[in-house]
Amino acid sequence: MHFASVRIITDDVDRLVEFYENVMGISAERPAPVFAEFVLPACTLAIGHSQTVQLFGAGTPVADNNHTLILEFRVHDVDAEYERLKPFVDKWVQEPSTMPWGNRAVLFRDPDGNLVNLFTPVTEEAIKRFSGRH
């Protein structure tokens, strides 16, 4: 089994695509107006319009309703990313801080309110933990 993607359902695909293009520094692939993908080496972040959930049936995702998921991206320098993203991020949850598990992290919300965490392993243990991961 290979973990393929995480998909965010939104009422405004274009707005989220623009936001994540700024965050990740890459362009989204747009196979359809209601769907976009950010293909990364380890995983893909997909964004689908709320219209697409009709294809899945009853009890499917609801846009702007996430209260449990945090999207996490490992970056080279979280402090530099924080400075770079200040013009694009409206809702900062936590400024760069070193966590008890050895990551330096910053936490913010995307335009739909989804939590996004950027982190850099900084302690010897954290660096070792991530050394074999993409």
Side-chain angles (χ1 to χ4, degrees):
M1 182 181 301
H2 296 279
F3 188 74
S5 70
V6 171
R7 186 181 315 181
I8 299 172
I9 298 299
T10 183
D11 291 329
D12 192 339
V13 173
D14 293 334
R15 177 183 66 174
L16 274 192
V17 165
E18 181 181 353
F19 180 82
Y20 282 101
E21 285 179 337
N22 285 321
V23 169
M24 293 194 277
I26 63 172
S27 296
E29 297 176 15
R30 299 290 300 262
V34 294
F35 189 76
E37 292 181 311
F38 292 91
V39 180
L40 302 169
C43 187
T44 296
L45 174 62
I47 298 174
H49 195 279
S50 54
Q51 295 169 343
T52 64
V53 298
Q54 299 168 20
L55 303 170
F56 303 126
T60 58
V62 176
D64 297 327
N65 198 25
N66 173 33
H67 299 283
T68 59
L69 180 76
I70 302 173
L71 297 174
E72 297 187 307
F73 298 95
R74 185 171 34 139
V75 298
H76 179 70
D77 182 343
V78 75
D79 292 284
E81 291 297 316
Y82 172 68
E83 292 300 323
R84 182 183 70 82
L85 292 173
K86 281 183 178 179
F88 307 111
V89 175
D90 292 330
K91 300 172 190 167
W92 293 98
V93 176
Q94 182 180 37
E95 293 184 357
S97 305
T98 302
M99 300 290 108
W101 46 91
N103 293 336
R104 187 148 175 82
V106 63
L107 190 64
F108 56 92
R109 292 193 181 275
D110 73 13
D112 279 5
N114 299 300
L115 284 169
V116 180
N117 179 43
L118 303 184
F119 71 94
T120 302
V122 293
T123 65
E124 184 178 328
E125 296 83 16
I127 292 168
K128 183 178 177 183
R129 190 170 59 249
F130 285 96
S131 66
R133 301 182 193 180
H134 291 281

